[in-house]
Amino acid sequence: MESKKTCIAMVPSPGLSHLIPIVEFAKLLLQQHNDYQITFLIPTLGPLNPSMKTILNTLPPNMDFIVLPQINIEDLPETHEPATQMKLIVKHSVPFLQEAVKSLISKTNLVALVFSMFSTDAHDVAKQFNLLSYLFYASGAVLFSFFLTFPNLDEAASTQFLESSYKTVNVPGVSDPYHVTELPDPFLCERSSDTYKSILDVCQKLSLFDGVIINTFTDLEPDAVRVLQERQKPCVYAVGPIIRNESNSEANMSVSLRWLEKQSPNSVVFVSFGSGGTLSHEQLNELAFGLEMSGSKFLWVVRVPSKHSSSAYFSGQKDDPLEYLPNGFLERTKEKGLVVTSWAPQVEILGHGSTGGFLSHCGWSSTLESVVNGVPVIAWPLFAEQKMNAKLLTDVLKVAVRPKIDDENGIVKREEVAKVIKRIMEGDESFVIRKRIEELRDGAANALSENGSSRKALSDLALKWH
């Protein structure tokens, strides 16, 4: 009788941005340990979007997926905070998850469940079936260290953080404290709010897992990784950097890459605020004038402006973003720059020899992509944990510069935009920064090499699952 294959089930948080990293992690695992079967159990509020369908329908052999039954939106309290909503979707999907796990156990040798950050409410399912439980943490070790510490900080706070006695917060593994305004937004809500209670509950559950798989590598965050690994529980595996190898199958045909082919090495600043970041109309204009003043070549992904910095995550864009640019801007800069709307193949652009700088919102995926490709950063964080990532890049790793915000209106002025572009693209400071990030690039490659720290961590994890 044929023995059952060892199976790992993975439960991503709802949404494309959570599915991609866990799928990439699974691919990396199977590249090095192809004797596993991996099944994704997908909680959902509605039909899968086309991008998610494409990813799931093109999974390699040894991977499959089960879309759990949709939960009823009327069962959810009304919330506009994405992390809270994701957590609630998973919580209401637990009965479906239990059935799916029971079915997998009958057909395979299921040994572990791997959860995303906002799937922690399903942790008890692993316990119920006597399975190992792991968290796949798609961000960095510093942020995870803060999450682990937060329940203790909460106990000592009498009111919300911004109004409490806290002005700064010490994070284990980080020498300089963070100012409270640099923390992710949910931590700064009223303590009585659902958003705050939701993120606190996530943090309190982190120590329950048998292990945590973190998308970072030792050379990038050595002190934070060391501090986490010195804890008895959870056991921490730094297996990164895990990034997508390509944006999509048609990316090489894009207008962006054809334009880059005509530019000199390291001459272009790539400007992008990730898959959801948006600027106000006033800030959009100042950025445009700053790019023009800098005299540098640029490739800019433009979105329709909004007062809400994460608005593109939640709504499609009906207007033409180009209509919001300053009058005559496109004509005046046509020899210097290329403006594309809404999306560009970021992975390929950062890997192109003509790209010399990256004006970025500092999301963790973008942070890793800039490091892996050795591209210096202009750090322009907008929301979520991006301010913490920006501090790591500028103050700790020293591979980024950060524009000063005008105190009067909270805007980065055009003169400041031009100044930071010149700092990253020209002169001695640029040379030093480029040298540092190229060293990190080599460290990233070494971590994933045969005897590297991340490769070893992944082997240790695979051994544990066997």
Side-chain angles (χ1 to χ4, degrees):
M1 183 176 166
E2 190 180 343
S3 61
K4 291 179 180 177
K5 205 158 197 179
T6 301
C7 180
I8 312 294
M10 300 191 179
V11 187
S13 303
L16 179 66
S17 62
H18 293 272
L19 180 65
I20 289 170
I22 204 167
V23 167
E24 292 301 318
F25 163 67
K27 287 177 183 175
L28 182 68
L29 175 69
L30 288 183
Q31 277 170 18
Q32 295 168 29
H33 306 275
N34 64 1
D35 46 350
Y36 289 110
Q37 171 68 37
I38 292 173
T39 299
F40 295 98
L41 305 175
I42 317 285
T44 175
L45 182 61
L48 299 180
N49 69 37
S51 297
M52 292 178 76
K53 281 182 183 171
T54 300
I55 289 168
L56 292 170
N57 289 328
T58 54
L59 291 173
N62 286 18
M63 282 194 214
D64 58 14
F65 67 95
I66 298 167
V67 179
L68 301 178
Q70 294 175 27
I71 65 162
N72 188 346
I73 193 167
E74 291 172 7
D75 291 339
L76 297 183
E78 193 173 322
T79 175
H80 299 290
E81 210 287 311
T84 308
Q85 187 178 56
M86 285 187 283
K87 190 171 179 296
L88 286 167
I89 292 168
V90 175
K91 189 172 187 175
H92 285 267
S93 297
V94 165
F96 306 131
L97 184 63
Q98 288 168 327
E99 289 304 311
V101 168
K102 200 185 292 182
S103 174
L104 277 177
I105 288 172
S106 70
K107 299 173 190 168
T108 68
N109 176 27
L110 183 64
V111 296
L113 289 178
V114 179
F115 302 94
S116 287
M117 186 67 186
F118 299 108
S119 302
T120 50
D121 277 315
H123 173 267
D124 285 347
V125 177
K127 211 155 105 183
Q128 178 187 342
F129 292 101
N130 200 26
L131 299 167
L132 293 169
S133 64
Y134 287 79
L135 179 75
F136 176 71
Y137 190 69
S139 295
V142 167
L143 186 63
F144 187 74
S145 183
F146 168 67
F147 272 57
L148 273 179
T149 307
F150 187 70
N152 296 333
L153 296 172
D154 171 74
E155 284 178 15
S158 57
T159 180
Q160 71 184 94
F161 267 60
L162 278 177
E163 296 169 3
S164 72
S165 56
Y166 285 111
K167 295 290 178 226
T168 59
V169 171
N170 289 306
V171 177
V174 182
S175 55
D176 292 336
Y178 284 89
H179 192 273
V180 288
T181 56
E182 294 177 305
L183 302 179
D185 297 337
F187 295 98
L188 306 180
C189 294
E190 292 283 352
R191 293 175 83 215
S192 59
S193 70
D194 289 339
T195 299
Y196 185 93
K197 288 176 183 173
S198 177
I199 199 72
L200 177 61
D201 182 65
V202 168
C203 294
Q204 287 168 334
K205 287 191 167 102
L206 297 179
S207 57
L208 301 176
F209 289 89
D210 294 302
V212 177
I213 304 149
I214 301 186
N215 189 10
T216 191
F217 60 101
T218 307
D219 282 3
L220 188 67
E221 303 178 277
D223 295 333
V225 170
R226 175 182 51 77
V227 166
L228 288 171
Q229 290 178 337
E230 285 170 356
R231 292 174 62 103
Q232 288 194 310
K233 198 173 179 186
C235 187
V236 167
Y237 303 87
V239 300
I242 300 166
I243 63 170
R244 296 182 80 180
N245 292 323
E246 57 179 27
S247 302
N248 68 11
S249 58
E250 295 175 11
N252 290 328
M253 302 298 291
S254 84
V255 62
S256 308
L257 296 173
R258 286 202 298 271
W259 182 83
L260 277 176
E261 284 297 320
K262 299 170 186 168
Q263 313 310 320
S264 308
N266 295 328
S267 65
V268 175
V269 179
F270 176 50
V271 183
S272 175
F273 293 94
S275 56
T278 45
L279 304 176
S280 68
H281 194 187
E282 184 183 0
Q283 184 61 84
L284 188 80
N285 279 334
E286 289 298 312
L287 176 54
F289 286 125
L291 287 167
E292 189 176 351
M293 282 176 69
S294 75
S296 280
K297 295 286 183 83
F298 63 87
L299 199 173
W300 184 11
V301 185
V302 175
R303 286 206 181 89
V304 173
S306 169
K307 292 176 184 173
H308 302 288
S309 59
S310 61
S311 70
Y313 279 115
F314 311 115
S315 59
Q317 299 208 357
K318 293 171 186 166
D319 295 355
D320 181 0
L322 301 183
E323 291 177 4
Y324 293 86
L325 294 173
N327 285 337
F329 171 78
L330 291 173
E331 181 62 29
R332 292 193 305 273
T333 59
K334 64 183 180 185
E335 301 300 323
K336 283 285 185 184
L338 175 68
V339 177
V340 296
T341 56
S342 302
W343 184 88
Q346 179 165 303
V347 174
E348 289 83 359
I349 289 168
L350 290 174
H352 198 284
S354 296
T355 304
F358 182 20
L359 195 158
S360 169
H361 67 311
C362 301
W364 191 248
S365 293
S366 292
T367 296
L368 289 180
E369 286 165 10
S370 63
V371 166
V372 166
N373 290 293
V375 179
V377 176
I378 298 167
W380 192 313
L382 297 177
F383 57 92
E385 88 291 4
Q386 293 162 14
K387 289 177 186 172
M388 294 183 76
N389 297 340
K391 186 181 175 83
L392 174 74
L393 288 166
T394 50
D395 299 350
V396 181
L397 299 172
K398 301 187 188 305
V399 294
V401 298
R402 192 161 171 182
K404 290 192 178 87
I405 296 172
D406 185 73
D407 291 335
E408 282 185 31
N409 56 13
I411 294 285
V412 178
K413 295 284 196 180
R414 62 191 73 178
E415 294 82 5
E416 183 65 15
V417 173
K419 183 178 169 185
V420 290
I421 289 172
K422 285 181 176 170
R423 283 176 66 193
I424 211 81
M425 299 298 285
E426 304 170 10
D428 293 343
E429 184 182 17
S430 163
F431 177 79
V432 172
I433 288 173
R434 194 170 301 282
K435 190 167 184 296
R436 280 202 196 99
I437 202 161
E438 285 172 355
E439 287 167 1
L440 278 181
R441 176 195 64 195
D442 296 342
N446 289 336
L448 292 172
S449 66
E450 194 168 346
N451 298 311
S453 58
S454 295
R455 184 81 171 261
K456 184 178 183 305
L458 193 60
S459 295
D460 291 345
L461 179 64
L463 193 63
K464 181 89 174 172
W465 285 343
H466 271 305

